[in-house]
Amino acid sequence: MDENTNTTDALLGVADAVVMDAPTPDDGNGTRNRRPVVVAVASVAILALLAGGGYLGWKTYTGHRLAEARQACVEASESYHKAAGEYSKLVDGDAAAASKVAAGQVADAKTVDALAEELKATEPKTVACVADDKAGYEAQAALIEKHAGWYGKHAKSLENAVKAVNDSKLAKTVSDAERLLKDSDGKVQDAKTRDELSKAIKAKDADAIAAASKKVNDSMAAKTKADEEAQRKAEEEAAAQAAAEAAAAAQAQTQQSYSAPQQSYTPSYSGGTSGSTGGGSGSSAPDFVPVSKGFGVGSADDCDAACRAPIQH
């Protein structure tokens, strides 16, 4: 536009010069004046030039509008790429970490399902900012802005889904820690570990809760081991004491015992002597022969004829 304006001004300046140099009409002294004719010719030439300059000006104007549409499309594309980049960063970062949380690790399993659904969303295709005219650039820019809006919307909903999972996980972590704190009362070797866990629960610090919970569990295990060792030692000592007492009792009983005296039975026999009258010789013999009761002769069946013969006096 500035170039065309300068050209038109230059043409008008030339026309003025032509008019100034043209002769004036006859002033009565025989001199003719040609200035009006020259001015008319110059005016026609200027109009023609102005018409040509108007075409150039319109072409410049339309070119300017096309450049503006192209620039608007480029700016929309930049916004689109920025939104798409932020969404991808969220998907590969916080969302990826939250997606590894299992349903058993959260207070509400629905949060895990909601996050999984958000990650299934299909991203829009990339639109190139290329066109042949102003209308084409405007159409491309509108589509690019629409896609950029998709990324902005889904990035927000994905952030909310990630937050829901993390909050639910923290809620369960706190709940489990509170149960551990209650169940560990009187069962830890070092009571300070429970104090540390209590502070972490109040702060709702997941990392601190995890560290404190481990210390409490380790302290509980140490106390359990110490109690079992003490019980085992006590049982061994009791068994040893019982064995010692049994041995002492056996020894005392041995010292008090004795061997009973053996008794023997020797039968005695008595008998009279008689002298034979008439100067004969006399002999003595038992008045009876006892049946043996284990003193050398068996039963009556074992006695021979001599044994059974009557005793002669």
Side-chain angles (χ1 to χ4, degrees):
M1 294 291 295
D2 292 340
E3 182 179 355
N4 292 332
T5 301
N6 293 334
T7 301
T8 302
D9 291 342
L11 291 173
L12 291 175
V14 171
D16 290 339
V18 172
V19 172
M20 291 298 296
D21 291 340
T24 60
D26 187 359
D27 53 5
N29 297 322
T31 305
R32 297 184 57 83
N33 188 354
R34 295 184 294 111
R35 180 175 296 178
V37 177
V38 174
V39 170
V41 173
S43 297
V44 172
I46 291 172
L47 289 175
L49 290 173
L50 287 175
Y55 171 76
L56 293 175
W58 174 253
K59 186 176 181 179
T60 301
Y61 173 74
T62 55
H64 178 69
R65 294 292 300 276
L66 180 63
E68 286 181 341
R70 184 189 300 111
Q71 182 61 29
C73 186
V74 171
E75 291 176 356
S77 181
E78 291 175 352
S79 298
Y80 162 84
H81 285 295
K82 181 179 179 181
E86 292 177 351
Y87 179 81
S88 297
K89 182 179 179 181
L90 176 60
V91 169
D92 297 335
D94 294 343
S99 66
K100 296 178 181 179
V101 177
Q105 295 177 282
V106 295
D108 184 3
K110 293 180 180 179
T111 58
V112 175
D113 296 335
L115 175 60
E117 287 298 320
E118 280 293 333
L119 289 174
K120 291 179 181 179
T122 302
E123 298 181 41
K125 295 181 180 179
T126 303
V127 178
C129 193
V130 177
D132 296 329
D133 52 20
K134 175 177 174 291
Y137 280 116
E138 290 176 346
Q140 294 294 81
L143 185 57
I144 291 172
E145 289 176 354
K146 179 180 178 181
H147 289 180
W150 183 97
Y151 280 110
K153 177 182 177 181
H154 281 76
K156 186 64 177 178
S157 59
L158 183 58
E159 285 177 353
N160 292 336
V162 170
K163 184 177 184 299
V165 169
N166 292 334
D167 289 347
S168 187
K169 181 181 179 182
L170 177 60
K172 189 175 189 305
T173 299
V174 171
S175 177
D176 292 345
E178 289 175 341
R179 187 179 302 109
L180 176 61
L181 184 65
K182 180 180 179 180
D183 294 343
S184 63
D185 188 13
K187 299 179 182 179
V188 294
Q189 194 172 44
D190 184 3
K192 292 181 180 179
T193 57
R194 297 184 70 252
D195 294 337
E196 184 176 344
L197 178 59
S198 178
K199 292 179 181 178
I201 291 173
K202 291 179 180 179
K204 292 185 177 181
D205 186 335
D207 293 336
I209 288 175
S213 295
K214 183 179 185 304
K215 291 181 180 179
V216 170
N217 286 323
D218 290 345
S219 187
M220 290 177 66
K223 188 177 188 304
T224 299
K225 183 178 180 180
D227 291 345
E228 291 175 350
E229 182 66 21
Q231 182 178 358
R232 184 187 63 80
K233 186 176 181 181
E235 290 174 352
E236 290 177 352
E237 291 177 351
Q241 181 66 24
E245 292 176 354
Q251 184 178 5
Q253 185 177 4
T254 301
Q255 292 175 353
Q256 292 177 0
S257 65
Y258 63 92
S259 300
Q262 296 183 356
Q263 298 180 355
S264 61
Y265 174 73
T266 304
S268 62
Y269 304 94
S270 62
T273 59
S274 61
S276 62
T277 60
S281 61
S283 63
S284 64
D287 293 337
F288 66 94
V289 177
V291 178
S292 177
K293 297 295 183 179
F295 301 106
V297 181
S299 64
D301 295 337
D302 296 331
C303 185
D304 56 13
C307 177
R308 293 192 296 271
I311 300 174
Q312 300 294 325
H313 295 283

